Amino acid sequence: MLMQYDRPLLADDGLILMDLSLTALAFDQGALTIFQYPHHDDCKPCANYSLPEEIRGVISDHSPSALSSLNTRVRVGRREYSCRSYLVEADSTGFITHPIVALRLQRAHSVSETLDRVAANYHLTEREHETLRGVANGLTSKEMAFRMNISANTVKVFLRFIMIKVGVNTRTELAAKILTESGDMSRG
């Protein structure tokens, strides 16, 4: 019997449990929302619910034993998700009588979304945000100055303000901070 759980792990996450034939056994509201994208109608589970072809194709290419370590990306609609599967073996207690696959989908955030979040979290001005995008794109101060129509020294001032607000001392530390924020977005 297919069961639906109302509480998603995170807004952009979904969890689904399936048997080895990839028939859905249970899923949370997050998975249902992902599978219904972009049609967010008031959808209810049905007896013959199945995985979207984009996900089924990725998973069916692997043997059951490989499903315990599958970590890939999959596109559903216009969104990209990290897809991680776990093989749960039957146990001696009888609680799990047949192997099942737990599949976790987690929305992959773009660099732009990450930079927007960093800018908002650290209260960067519009020009500091623009400078941060330049750093993320690997531009030199001179290249950023040309694109922003300002002097290279002004870019360096913006960089210094960003570093003070974010609490780092170098461009490398700033890049690492952006990557850390990106990871934090993935976890919620």
Side-chain angles (χ1 to χ4, degrees):
M1 174 178 179
L2 184 64
M3 297 184 307
Q4 174 188 355
Y5 296 98
D6 292 331
R7 187 172 91 16
L9 295 176
L10 295 171
D12 293 326
D13 281 6
L15 179 69
I16 186 163
L17 300 177
M18 330 169 252
D19 62 20
L20 292 180
S21 69
L22 304 184
T23 300
L25 302 172
F27 55 90
D28 70 355
Q29 186 63 42
L32 185 61
T33 301
I34 291 168
F35 297 160
Q36 296 293 322
Y37 182 84
H39 310 290
H40 294 293
D41 303 338
D42 186 29
C43 49
K44 298 294 178 199
C46 59
N48 60 355
Y49 183 81
S50 63
L51 291 174
E53 279 305 312
E54 300 92 338
I55 297 171
R56 182 178 287 279
V58 168
I59 294 176
S60 63
D61 289 343
H62 295 82
S63 67
S65 62
L67 290 177
S68 63
S69 61
L70 177 66
N71 190 3
T72 188
R73 291 196 178 256
V74 63
R75 184 170 291 281
V76 178
R78 293 182 313 217
R79 295 184 176 166
E80 189 170 309
Y81 293 88
S82 169
C83 179
R84 181 83 192 242
S85 67
Y86 305 88
L87 182 63
V88 181
E89 298 287 347
D91 65 11
S92 60
T93 65
F95 182 71
I96 299 175
T97 57
H98 301 301
I100 60 173
V101 177
L103 180 70
R104 181 173 187 211
L105 297 171
Q106 188 172 26
R107 184 164 176 216
H109 293 277
S110 70
V111 172
S112 178
E113 289 172 318
T114 301
L115 294 176
D116 290 346
R117 182 171 174 179
V118 169
N121 287 349
Y122 294 100
H123 310 289
L124 302 184
T125 66
E126 187 66 35
R127 293 300 255 180
E128 290 167 347
H129 190 175
E130 193 174 349
T131 304
L132 185 65
R133 281 194 296 271
V135 170
N137 287 322
L139 299 179
T140 64
S141 295
K142 190 174 180 179
E143 291 167 329
M144 282 188 269
F146 179 77
R147 289 184 181 196
M148 295 171 70
N149 200 25
I150 57 177
S151 75
N153 285 334
T154 304
V155 169
K156 291 176 185 174
V157 169
F158 286 141
L159 279 170
R160 192 75 218 132
F161 286 156
I162 293 168
M163 289 179 196
I164 289 168
K165 288 180 179 181
V166 173
V168 298
N169 295 310
T170 66
R171 282 184 187 225
T172 303
E173 289 176 358
L174 183 58
K177 188 73 164 186
I178 293 168
L179 289 173
T180 301
E181 291 281 333
S182 177
D184 290 347
M185 280 185 73
S186 295
R187 288 184 294 278

